[in-house]
Amino acid sequence: MTELHNAEAELGRFRLRVLALALLVLGCFGLLAWRLYNLQVLRYDELAQRAETNRTAVVPIVPNRGEILDRNGVVLATNYKSYTLEITPSRTGRPLAETIDAIGEVVEITARDRRRFERLRQDTKSFESLPIRTRLSEEEVARFAAQRYRFPGVEIKARLFRTYPLGETGAHVIGYIGRINQREKERIEDSDEVANYRGTDYIGKLGIESSYEQALHGITGVEQMETSAGGHAVRRLASHPATPGESIRLSLDINLQKMVEDLYGERRGALVAIDPRNGEILAFVSKPGYDPNLFVDGIDHESWAELNESLDKPLLNRALRGTYPPGSTYKPFMGLAALETGKRLPGTTIMDGGSWTFAGHTFRSGHALGAVDLHRSIVKSSNVYYYMLANDMGVNAIHDFMKPLGFGQITGIDIPGETRGVLPSTEWKRHTYKRPEQQRWYAGETISLGIGQGYNHFTMLQLASATATLAAGGVRHVPHLVKARQDAVSQQVIEVPQPPGQPLGYKADHVNRVLRAMVGVTLEGTSRGVFAGAPYLSGGKTGTAQAVSIGQKSRYNAAKLAEHQRDHSLYIAFAPAEAPTIAVAVIVENAGFGAAHAAPLARRVMDYWLAGLYPSEQDLRAVQQGQAGAPIGTPRRVADMALLQAPTLLP
């Protein structure tokens, strides 16, 4: 009985174990079924998409960057093909470092090449082709091709590189492209342009290259590739070609631009020429300049130090960002302000005794001119007339009149980086200075504003724009550099629309009186010698502006001052007088009187634009050497010269 009882107990325990095991097995199968249901049903869409992503990869196709041309179709920025040595990391079959070392035995691989390659590799996938060397010579191509079998995953490709055929000419306008820096990368990632910059290492940095980056860059294409589990490309599944960037045609005449840059020689300064009828920029010169080709693939340390540390500041766009007191070139605008505000009548006469005293302080005027009205004040450049006028108007009235003309304002030109300058007012001074005694406007500070000195500081772009507005009878056009865009696919050229001119509401008689006085400057005034014999009639105004203050009690002596402390030479002009088609503002830094250096530059610009004349070699050398006051030599006709010609890129 005992044995039977024990057998039944053992059987019961066995059955219990079998049940527990069955429940465990059933539970495991239940978990497997739930997992299978979760993967196959609940997460099907998510996992299917992930699997497809792992199976395929999207490789960007970088578009060809659009070209930049002048108004006549001369190429200013383009692309050229060159050979690059590229590595696809996933296909090398051995460590990258070994591959690169082995390549270095065939063609030169510098430490800089290695750093650039590593930076690119970190930002891309292993199946993308990355350049280890760019711009291979024909000899290097042949040498590597002979040993190509040794390097799986390494190949020679032809790629496009940006180039600026004219070097320094127009560099400040054109700008340049360079490698995308961290700040630009973050900005792109925060925008809708992320996909369009995949595979792209370059972006426009300055000038037109920057302001028209989106149009010039084009649209990045894509190739959908099937890849193996190891990341190797198996086959192409789909392809969408890139759309090349648009070509940009400027209003600039590059032959005029080059002529002016050559005329400056080693001197510093800026010149802006505008068509007053529509605001088109004809020349936009800043000297000295720089070669934008230095920046395309990363500028070397020595070249950067030379440009960045130079006292002449070649990287500064003086036409756009350099600010200067306008000197006596301000007087025509002050004369118009006098008439428009009723502070002076055309025939109102004052006595210019060579100086004027205000609150015990004497303001000098050089030499006595006697009885002076508005016309004579501009022709003979009377300081006393404008000392008194500024005092009668007051700083705020001057500010309010000059602001619509664009002085101290952003003009809206279509390249970035424009400087506002300073058009002073009592409010401006309160916001500029911290101490109460500095914030107060003193009546004596107004006097020098009348002759374009004091706090007045404007760009040559602002001065040229204001001159163009005056020449257009008081109608202001927004200055602009781009005339048209050409679609890369359809080749259709589309004019870039511009806002209509804005009439400033001046009385025609008042504007005409000021313009006639400026014509008098070239016929009987301070620039009559420079414009003698010109085949057109022009108007202008000379100016001499202090670079540093020497005090009213001291007499100016250029010989006793360092070169960078000497007065600036300025000139504004328009022509032909009866129906102006060009307006110019020019400054030659630290060159002295406006009639001696700046006015001759304006004369050559107008000779070129209106009469088709180009300076003779003798005249060119004379201006470059600072002998600008010398008589103008026999000019050459532009039609007889081998100037830069337009290719057949645009109709």
Side-chain angles (χ1 to χ4, degrees), residues 38-53:
N38 183 54
L39 295 176
Q40 294 289 338
V41 179
L42 298 181
R43 298 182 61 191
Y44 174 80
D45 292 338
E46 174 193 346
L47 296 176
Q49 183 178 1
R50 187 183 299 178
E52 182 66 16
T53 301

Side-chain angles (χ1 to χ4, degrees), residues 85-96 98-100 102-103 117 126 129 144 147-156 232:
L85 191 60
E86 304 197 5
I87 302 176
T88 304
S90 64
R91 296 171 54 196
T92 58
R94 57 176 168 174
L96 269 177
E98 292 182 14
T99 299
I100 295 174
I103 293 173
F117 179 83
S126 61
S129 177
F144 180 83
Q147 302 190 48
R148 167 71 178 79
Y149 66 93
R150 295 175 49 198
F151 304 101
V154 184
E155 55 188 336
I156 294 173
H232 296 278

Side-chain angles (χ1 to χ4, degrees), residues 326-348:
S328 292
T329 62
Y330 206 44
K331 290 175 180 176
F333 306 103
M334 285 294 297
L336 181 61
L339 298 178
E340 286 289 313
T341 60
K343 292 297 182 180
R344 296 288 186 275
L345 297 175
T348 301

